[in-house]
């Protein structure tokens, strides 16, 4: 289920919506009741969303799924994470408690 249920998102511009965009990312969180399985998905137009966790090393290899280049990894604690651009939209995804197949299925659902 999504959480928090009253999450507000959208594109925000300065000067009451008449000036430059200062926030264009969307953050979606899903989990089961006890939070043992969760998905954090962040999207932004034209760039990879900035994350304050799960950073990739610049020397990390790039993977390819459905002709889309992406960084993909797994932490020692079992979190899967990725970052990639698709159709001029940047994505970061971090999961907890999901299998590798479930994680890849999420990516595949975006880059069909």
């Amino acid at each position: 289920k999504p959480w928090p249920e009253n999450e507000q998102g959208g594109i925000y511009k300065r000067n009451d919506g008449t000036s430059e965009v200062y926030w264009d990312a969307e953050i979606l969180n899903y989990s089961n009741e006890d939070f043992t399985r969760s998905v954090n998905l962040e999207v932004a137009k034209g760039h990879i969303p900035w994350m304050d966790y799960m950073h990739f090393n610049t020397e990390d290899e790039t993977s390819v799924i459905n002709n889309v280049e992406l960084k993909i990894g797994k932490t020692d604690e079992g979190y899967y994470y990725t970052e990639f651009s698709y159709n001029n939209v940047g994505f970061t995804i971090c999961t907890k408690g999901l299998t590798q197949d479930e994680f890849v299925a999420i990516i595949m659902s975006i880059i069909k």
Side-chain angles (χ1 to χ4, degrees):
K1 69 177 186 170
W3 61 269
E5 293 179 22
N6 60 353
E7 181 74 23
Q8 296 289 321
I11 298 173
Y12 296 91
K13 295 182 178 183
R14 298 189 194 289
N15 299 324
D16 294 323
T18 62
S19 190
E20 76 271 9
V21 172
Y22 68 89
W23 178 261
D24 68 349
E26 193 69 40
I27 302 170
L28 304 169
N29 293 294
Y30 299 91
S31 72
N32 60 353
E33 291 292 325
D34 64 1
F35 289 91
T36 56
R37 294 172 47 85
S38 64
V39 176
N40 167 265
L41 168 68
E42 301 187 23
V43 297
K45 184 177 179 182
H47 61 91
I48 301 291
W50 182 82
M51 293 177 66
D52 59 354
Y53 60 96
M54 303 293 176
H55 295 283
F56 285 95
N57 186 327
T58 56
E59 289 90 38
D60 286 344
E61 283 191 42
T62 300
S63 297
V64 177
I65 297 177
N66 284 350
N67 296 318
V68 175
E69 290 186 359
L70 56 117
K71 299 280 188 178
I72 190 168
K74 182 180 179 186
T75 68
D76 292 339
E77 296 81 20
Y79 291 86
Y80 286 101
Y81 59 106
T82 186
E83 66 180 35
F84 60 93
S85 289
Y86 180 68
N87 288 341
N88 199 33
V89 177
F91 294 85
T92 59
I93 305 169
C94 178
T95 66
K96 174 184 168 188
L98 274 65
T99 66
Q100 180 176 332
D101 288 342
E102 290 171 319
F103 179 65
V104 171
I106 292 170
I107 296 168
M108 297 285 289
S109 72
I110 296 169
I111 57 174
K112 297 179 188 180

